[in-house]
Amino acid sequence: MDRLQAMQVFRAVIDAGSFAGGARRLGVSNAMVSKQVSRLEEMLGVRLLVRTTRRLQLTAEGERYLTTVVRLLDELQELEAGIGEQRGEIRGRLRLSAPVDFGARSLMPALQAFEAAHPAVSLDLVLEDRRVDPLAEDFDLVVRIGELEDSSLIARPLMQIPMHLYASPGYLQRYGTPRHPQDLRDHRCLHYTLSRHGLYWPFRVDGEIYRFRLQPALSCNNGRALIEAAVLGMGLTLKPASLAAPEERAGQLVRVLEAFEMPPLDIHLLYAERDYMPARLRALIEALLGYFGDGQPYD
């Protein structure tokens, strides 16, 4: 048995959460993955996984083995990439985290440009709208939207996205157009439950921030779904300009309360401080900063 290959298979299965997911990541059959893990357990003389119809669960031995496997595979990758970098090559694997909508709509073109320039770098992009821990979850780079917590992580400003309030023409025809944030009390508001502002929408009124407390007609944890709800005339939604741009261009959504400026959305790149930064990570950071304009507004 190829022990290194078996360790790679074992890690892929755990990362994917299933044998089928691990097989898809590696481009091999489910049977091959299952056989490799079984042989690994036979060789070690312990059970690494408890298999059920619903999920996989690591045993205590599996937890310890996985910790060592991850460290060894990462060190091997760093060694190989470092040797390549000495020859002027940029290669290896990078694991990134980004919010779902931003990652799919705005980040992907930037990654395509990076991939074209550095084809030997493998990107593992995880899209989810929770706040991940780069150190605990083994991410090389995290795209963070909103306010930053105090931490030991390095934060680089990536961009600012203007925020606007949107409604469909049909909704405004039916319910009228609000002229002041206070008018929103008489309107149907669509609330993004993961918003950094909670149940408030911030507006600049007479030079000061006015926070309107929502009584949501609809709450949802997905920004794309709220855009669709607004297009259908279900209410008004506060969204980044880049997310609503296609619907605005098509005339499906219009901006409301433009006279009351809203704070832009700050987006940062987060990564751990380290004695040695791999060339591939440095290249990706520089590529993203260059693509998005090094913290400049993006509409």
Side-chain angles (χ1 to χ4, degrees):
M1 180 184 67
D2 185 328
R3 187 177 301 184
L4 176 60
Q5 184 184 52
M7 289 191 294
Q8 291 170 331
V9 168
F10 178 62
R11 179 178 183 175
V13 166
I14 301 305
D15 286 347
S18 68
F19 282 89
R24 283 193 298 270
R25 285 193 176 199
L26 297 172
V28 298
S29 68
N30 292 1
M32 182 271 193
V33 166
S34 180
K35 185 180 295 185
Q36 285 277 10
V37 173
S38 295
R39 287 180 176 175
L40 189 60
E41 289 177 321
E42 291 174 9
M43 184 194 70
L44 295 172
V46 297
R47 173 170 284 192
L48 301 174
L49 293 168
V50 176
R51 302 159 177 81
T52 70
T53 56
R54 292 177 175 265
R55 63 191 180 98
L56 298 176
Q57 183 174 345
L58 286 166
T59 63
E61 293 80 7
E63 291 273 9
R64 289 198 297 271
Y65 188 70
L66 177 65
T67 299
T68 302
V69 163
V70 168
R71 177 177 56 80
L72 290 174
L73 291 178
D74 285 349
E75 287 180 356
L76 178 60
Q77 183 184 61
E78 288 296 327
L79 174 62
E80 293 174 343
I83 292 173
E85 288 168 9
Q86 290 177 359
R87 300 196 303 269
E89 299 175 354
I90 295 181
R91 60 190 309 113
R93 174 177 173 269
L94 288 172
R95 193 161 186 255
L96 296 78
S97 168
V100 175
D101 294 323
F102 178 81
R105 185 177 294 274
S106 301
L107 185 61
M108 201 58 68
L111 295 182
Q112 187 276 333
F114 175 80
E115 189 274 339
H118 304 288
V121 177
S122 171
L123 298 176
D124 181 2
L125 176 63
V126 178
L127 299 181
E128 50 189 343
D129 287 330
R130 66 181 181 87
R131 293 205 160 197
V132 303
D133 183 337
L135 297 176
E137 300 178 58
D138 193 31
F139 284 106
D140 298 293
L141 190 66
V142 169
V143 178
R144 177 65 47 81
I145 295 181
E147 298 175 2
L148 301 177
E149 307 93 346
D150 291 334
S151 74
S152 60
L153 299 173
I154 297 174
R156 297 284 298 276
L158 180 65
M159 61 191 291
Q160 288 185 322
I161 300 181
M163 297 289 290
H164 299 295
L165 192 62
Y166 294 94
S168 71
Y171 173 89
L172 297 177
Q173 184 176 10
R174 180 178 180 184
Y175 292 97
T177 301
R179 305 298 178 187
H180 189 278
Q182 292 179 349
D183 296 341
L184 294 175
R185 294 188 181 95
D186 300 321
H187 282 269
R188 300 178 62 80
C189 298
L190 310 177
H191 171 52
Y192 179 54
T193 54
L194 301 180
S195 168
R196 58 183 173 139
H197 299 295
L199 275 171
Y200 291 89
W201 282 348
F203 300 91
R204 193 174 297 279
V205 179
D206 297 329
E208 307 221 348
I209 296 297
Y210 169 82
R211 285 158 53 87
F212 170 74
R213 180 173 174 82
L214 299 174
Q215 302 265 334
L218 171 68
S219 297
C220 181
N221 67 346
N222 183 272
R224 188 71 240 157
L226 291 174
I227 291 285
E228 295 301 324
V231 168
L232 293 172
M234 296 175 66
L236 302 104
T237 187
L238 179 63
K239 281 286 156 279
S242 57
L243 183 60
E247 289 75 17
E248 187 177 7
R249 284 194 296 267
Q252 295 174 300
L253 292 178
V254 296
R255 298 180 186 182
V256 181
L257 296 179
E258 286 191 88
F260 301 92
E261 179 187 359
M262 301 170 198
L265 206 55
D266 292 318
I267 302 182
H268 291 81
L269 297 178
L270 302 183
Y271 53 94
E273 186 173 5
R274 56 178 82 188
D275 294 332
Y276 167 74
M277 177 182 287
R280 61 187 179 278
L281 177 56
R282 184 167 55 252
L284 178 60
I285 291 171
E286 292 173 355
L288 293 179
L289 291 175
Y291 184 91
F292 289 109
D294 219 350
Q296 297 302 309
Y298 178 79
D299 203 337

